Amino acid sequence: MNFHICHPEDALRPFVKQFYYWEDDSRGPIQLPQHLFALGDQYMVFMLEGTAMITPAAHAAFTVPRHAVTGHFTCACRLHVTGPVRMVIVQLNAYGCYRLLGIDGQSFTNYYRNLDLHENAAWAQLGRQLQQVRAPQEITALLNGTLQQALQADAPCLKQADEMADYMLARQGNVSVEELAQAFQLSRPTLERLFNRVIGMPPQLFARMVRFRNALQLAERVQWQLPATAHYNLAMFIRDHLQFNGEMPSWYNAPGTIAHMPARPLQQVAVAS
């Protein structure tokens, strides 16, 4: 297995978090690398070889197109990959898809959009160019160049929604819609409409995702003893574990992922800067 984590240029942050390049010559079903798809982020997926199928708990299963962007997954999901596989993944933050691709988030929650059908032909072209390169440094340079062009183009930008998502992340999801509306001086219907359009889900659900992800990370640091707080208790944690992971919490070895499966022990990966 050849798995690389590459870092985007600073100018692309905060919209783009990381690039992943995964290559595996194994045939048949393959266990995906840990943390490949994290809860609360969106992903551009370029399937250069192999196939990937996603099965959301509350949605029909679908095969990921060769060039696609996945929406937020608000329920437990399974990711099945059949190799040999070669794929490039761009991890976006909660509002990166809207800013870079101009796609309303709520239109493909728990689903995908085929980038070959996008009005901007640059994404299909990027997929074809990625077929020709294999070195992580070349892949990173190609992604940086294309994403920089998209960022500089006249893409839609609803800055207030970006700021609301960042505010909720800074508060670790411990904020009500009423507090959010007051902080940004918006009516609740306007706030929810704006948040749904850019982020792709209601602010209440996004806050739950953030709290759940933070609770898992905190529990990992304190040997899986979930500390109750004024904003989050064990009953809430179990409810969210059922929704986002699809089962009662019996194992805790990774942040919530759409893979919905216990991962194997950590493996050494190559890292390209």
Side-chain angles (χ1 to χ4, degrees), residues 37-49:
F37 287 89
L39 183 71
D41 290 331
Q42 292 182 299
Y43 294 84
M44 297 176 71
V45 181
F46 298 91
M47 295 297 304
L48 310 178
E49 186 178 2

Side-chain angles (χ1 to χ4, degrees), residues 79-221:
L79 174 64
H80 307 274
V81 179
T82 303
V85 65
R86 189 162 68 94
M87 61 193 299
V88 173
I89 297 173
V90 179
Q91 183 181 13
L92 306 172
N93 74 347
Y95 48 83
C97 178
Y98 184 84
R99 179 63 182 86
L100 290 165
L101 290 91
I103 305 176
D104 285 7
Q106 61 189 338
S107 70
F108 66 116
T109 300
N110 294 318
Y111 203 52
Y112 69 89
R113 283 291 176 264
N114 189 337
L115 293 179
D116 287 338
L117 304 179
H118 194 276
E119 60 184 11
N120 186 349
W123 304 118
Q125 181 181 356
L126 173 61
R128 292 191 294 269
Q129 291 173 321
L130 287 169
Q131 285 280 5
Q132 309 304 316
V133 296
R134 298 186 90 98
Q137 296 83 354
E138 295 179 40
I139 292 171
T140 300
L142 185 55
L143 292 172
N144 277 329
T146 303
L147 293 169
Q148 278 273 30
Q149 291 176 10
L151 195 59
Q152 294 166 5
D154 188 21
C157 181
L158 293 175
K159 184 66 176 174
Q160 201 167 29
D162 299 3
E163 293 170 349
M164 283 191 287
D166 289 340
Y167 181 81
M168 296 174 80
L169 288 168
R171 295 280 301 272
Q172 298 184 338
N174 298 318
V175 56
S176 68
V177 179
E178 290 74 19
E179 291 177 86
L180 201 62
Q182 184 175 5
F184 288 88
Q185 298 183 336
L186 294 171
S187 68
R188 178 166 179 158
T190 299
L191 183 151
E192 291 181 336
R193 184 168 59 251
L194 179 64
F195 206 90
N196 267 299
R197 181 178 178 186
V198 177
I199 310 301
M201 69 182 79
Q204 303 96 316
L205 181 55
F206 184 74
R208 281 180 60 192
M209 281 186 167
V210 174
R211 287 198 302 270
F212 176 67
R213 189 170 60 187
N214 288 336
L216 278 180
Q217 292 170 347
L218 180 60
E220 184 179 32
R221 292 197 296 270

Side-chain angles (χ1 to χ4, degrees), residues 53-56 59-63 111:
M53 175 175 286
I54 295 177
T55 309
H59 193 286
F62 59 86
T63 299
Y111 203 52

Side-chain angles (χ1 to χ4, degrees), residues 65-76:
R66 290 173 59 248
H67 311 139
V69 58
T70 63
H72 285 294
F73 288 91
T74 61
C75 60

Side-chain angles (χ1 to χ4, degrees), residues 214-237:
N214 288 336
L216 278 180
Q217 292 170 347
L218 180 60
E220 184 179 32
R221 292 197 296 270
V222 294
Q223 299 180 339
W224 310 116
Q225 299 298 313
L226 180 70
T229 70
H231 301 281
Y232 205 65
N233 56 40
L234 184 59
M236 293 178 179
F237 178 80

